[in-house]
Amino acid sequence: MMRQFIILALLLVSSSGARAALPALEDLDTLDARIAVYLGGTPADAGQRAQPVDRRLRMVACPEGVSFDPPAMGSIAAYCASKGWRLRVALNASTAGQLAEIVIRRGDAVELAYLGSGFDITTGATALDDGRVGGVVRVKTSTGTAPVTARVRGPGAAAIGD
């Protein structure tokens, strides 16, 4: 009887230690907000530009932050290279249509925003490439000598940073 008690106690201790060692999970609300920002919206647009991430998913939290592939075939790919997970999230019909059309043409005047933690700086620039919302274009400012790469946020608007 004493032996069974000891075995039971050891099993309980080992199982509680296993629960404590479980890795943190990715916050799906934050992931939805990051997808909305990547697609040119704000965190408040989560679920409006793309379908919400399936709440049944349990993914290990990404230590370096989730990365995104450009939208393709009506969806966006979110992935964590270090943890090895990748998922596709369907875009809403209005967003997919908006992303399909070119909104910045080569030679267009572009409002270039530098986005940082707690600040935004905007300046004028000229597009060196055609670009769709969510895509990347090269732009050149009037004062800069080298072109910079920026993400297209909408017609005549591109951003660098967050």
Side-chain angles (χ1 to χ4, degrees), residues 38 70 129-138 148-152:
Y38 179 80
D129 302 314
D130 292 345
R132 295 172 170 80
V133 173
V136 177
V137 294
R138 292 177 307 130
V148 295
T149 303
R151 181 149 320 271
V152 178

Side-chain angles (χ1 to χ4, degrees), residues 110-131:
V110 175
E111 181 180 89
L112 179 63
Y114 296 91
L115 307 175
S117 184
F119 71 91
D120 294 349
I121 301 171
T122 58
T123 187
T126 303
L128 300 177
D129 302 314
D130 292 345

